[in-house]
Amino acid sequence: MTGTVLKETADGAAEPRQAAPRRLRASLALETLLGALGLYSVIPVLGTLLAARSPGSGAAVVGVGLFCYTASAGLSATLAAHWLRKVPYASGMVGAVLLTAAAFGLLPRAGADWQLCALLVLAGFGVSAHFLYSRVLIAEVVRHDIGRNQLFSMLQIAVNAAAALGPFLANVLYSPDQPQRLMGMVALCYLAAAVVMLPGIPRGTRPPAASTTWPVGRPVLRQVVTVPRIRRVILVSVLGTFVYAQFYSAFVFYVAQDFDSAALRSFLVAGPAIWIVVLQAGVTAVVSRLMRRGTTPFAVLGGANLLFGVSMTTLGLGLPPVVGAVLAVLVFSVAEMAFGPMVSTAYAGLPIASSLEAFNLRQVCWSFGEALGALSGGALFVTLHDQGHGRLYWAALGAITLTATGLLQYLAHRDPAGKDTTATDASPTPAVTR
């Protein structure tokens, strides 16, 4: 049964608004928490595990293995979306987490390097397929932006709670001589995720059809070029993802190189996950209130990008290193709380006939922005930092982010014909034929 919440109309009356069924919300939250706990328990030690499993290959198998997992987790389901849409949500989501459980569970038993890489590709595919299924399911079941954003925010809390706890489990359970202890626990987490999702996932329904066998077909690409609303969401999300990736590339390197205290380094790197668990619900409530007053997903993404820009600028102001880093983490965390759920919400609400194709477009744009951001943070920043000009990188990145976001917001304001006038409580996605 579909739950409802009440919204107030202009004349003060209350009318029902569709919300996600409670069992679906509970199932998605629990299985996301369990699956993410398994994932973030293995990610911190994955490179070490690969090196220990294949000592003769050295750094080569570590680099190739990490690439195999990252590339597979990022894009493999998008490339296979034409075939995945033929599988019902329940079967596809359960099958995806079981595949990840099996791949990670078998990792300690792999002998040859190619076996390690093959298992990592399978694990990444399971993660990628589960992500695609769950996001498309939310887009199809919840037909308004506020409800979608609230559900995506709830999943972000679950993921970050697991991200905060996972490294501690890795430290307790992982041993190069007995990796099966940790990997067995990881497999059990994914098995438990498969069990708890079953009661809430609708049976027999499948993702909507797409216009093409390609992840993103020509009709959608034509819309990207001709529809200002779609084009603006893509630009603002790619920019935000580019800056978001700096935290996990340039900032992590900066903290590792410039701070001697292990406790402080851990606090700074884990800071966003901790703050998201504590504050995400409050930020989501503020965003929901703004959207009820007419703020669009594009405007929320733009605001988050401005906060990302402020966070980067803080690191380039010449403040005492600890003060600058702590302030940057706080501002970055608030930006991520608004940006992360709203990216999925914004793409779900685009005027694209198939939500499956809309999320394929989201994943392509996210991967593109994140890859460029990681490249910049891992190459350009490191070069400038080694030359003693790290502050210049942060200052320039902050200025570019603030300027580009401000320009996008200005152009959107000056383009009445292309304004997003879709009410946030209405269904912005056209009906699709299943």
Side-chain angles (χ1 to χ4, degrees):
M1 182 176 66
T2 301
T4 59
V5 294
L6 296 179
K7 74 167 184 174
E8 193 173 294
T9 59
D11 59 3
E15 66 180 37
R17 175 173 78 197
Q18 186 186 34
R22 290 184 179 180
R23 285 201 303 179
L24 174 62
R25 294 202 306 268
S27 292
L28 287 176
L30 283 174
E31 62 95 1
T32 298
L33 177 64
L34 289 166
L37 182 60
L39 180 62
Y40 287 103
S41 296
V42 69
I43 289 299
V45 299
L46 184 55
T48 304
L49 186 151
L50 292 173
R53 293 302 302 164
S54 185
S57 300
V61 72
V62 176
V64 173
L66 292 176
F67 173 81
C68 286
Y69 172 78
T70 304
S72 181
L75 288 174
S76 59
T78 298
L79 298 176
H82 174 66
W83 295 276
L84 291 178
R85 71 151 301 271
K86 300 177 182 179
V87 181
Y89 288 112
S91 301
M93 292 175 69
V94 170
V97 295
L98 291 179
L99 177 63
T100 304
F104 278 140
L106 291 172
L107 207 60
R109 300 183 178 276
D113 293 349
W114 70 266
Q115 293 174 336
L116 289 169
C117 293
L119 288 172
L120 289 172
V121 169
L122 291 177
F125 179 76
V127 170
S128 183
H130 173 269
F131 179 92
L132 183 62
Y133 275 121
S134 61
R135 268 55 183 183
V136 173
L137 175 61
I138 292 171
E140 290 293 298
V141 170
V142 185
R143 307 295 291 187
H144 58 91
D145 287 339
I146 294 175
R148 287 168 175 164
N149 190 63
Q150 290 170 343
L151 193 44
F152 288 132
S153 297
M154 182 184 68
L155 298 188
Q156 177 151 296
I157 294 173
V159 168
N160 282 276
L165 181 59
F168 294 100
L169 289 178
N171 288 332
V172 171
L173 295 175
Y174 178 69
S175 167
D177 298 328
Q178 292 183 314
Q180 60 270 19
R181 287 193 307 173
L182 174 62
M183 302 313 293
M185 188 278 294
V186 171
L188 286 175
C189 285
Y190 278 103
L191 289 173
V195 172
V196 300
M197 80 167 68
L198 283 173
I201 305 301
R203 309 295 176 87
T205 58
R206 301 178 181 181
S211 63
T212 175
T213 58
W214 290 93
V216 181
R218 288 183 180 178
V220 173
L221 293 177
R222 192 175 301 115
Q223 285 182 281
V224 170
V225 175
T226 59
V227 180
R229 177 184 169 191
I230 297 178
R231 189 166 60 247
R232 285 198 295 265
V233 166
I234 288 175
L235 290 173
V236 77
S237 66
V238 169
L239 174 62
T241 307
F242 176 88
V243 186
Y244 167 82
Q246 304 302 314
F247 186 89
Y248 301 99
S249 54
F251 184 76
V252 170
F253 176 84
Y254 165 64
V255 168
Q257 294 294 314
D258 289 21
F259 293 90
D260 296 328
S261 170
L264 179 59
R265 291 198 301 267
S266 299
F267 172 77
L268 291 172
V269 173
I274 296 170
W275 287 118
I276 286 172
V277 173
V278 174
L279 299 177
Q280 179 72 66
V283 172
T284 301
V286 172
V287 170
S288 297
R289 192 175 299 116
L290 291 173
M291 294 178 73
R292 290 190 185 100
R293 295 175 180 174
T295 303
T296 64
F298 168 79
V300 175
L301 289 176
N305 282 4
L306 292 175
L307 288 176
F308 279 140
V310 171
S311 175
M312 300 297 104
T313 302
T314 301
L315 293 168
L317 290 178
L319 299 172
V322 174
V323 175
V326 170
L327 287 176
V329 167
L330 286 173
V331 177
F332 181 94
S333 300
V334 175
E336 186 179 353
M337 290 178 221
F339 183 81
M342 191 54 67
V343 171
S344 294
T345 302
Y347 279 86
L350 291 179
I352 295 174
S354 169
S355 56
L356 176 63
E357 207 164 352
F359 274 91
N360 284 341
L361 179 63
R362 174 217 182 275
Q363 201 60 17
V364 170
C365 294
W366 181 283
S367 299
F368 177 72
E370 191 171 38
L372 284 181
L375 176 63
S376 175
L380 181 56
F381 173 76
V382 171
T383 301
L384 290 173
H385 179 274
D386 290 345
Q387 295 175 357
H389 302 302
R391 277 175 50 194
L392 177 62
Y393 180 84
W394 298 122
L397 181 62
I400 291 171
T401 303
L402 293 171
T403 302
T405 303
L407 179 61
L408 286 173
Q409 298 279 30
Y410 173 77
L411 292 176
H413 182 72
R414 289 290 302 269
D415 182 20
K419 274 187 179 177
D420 178 7
T421 56
T422 304
T424 56
D425 291 328
S427 170
T429 307
V432 294
T433 303
R434 299 187 183 280

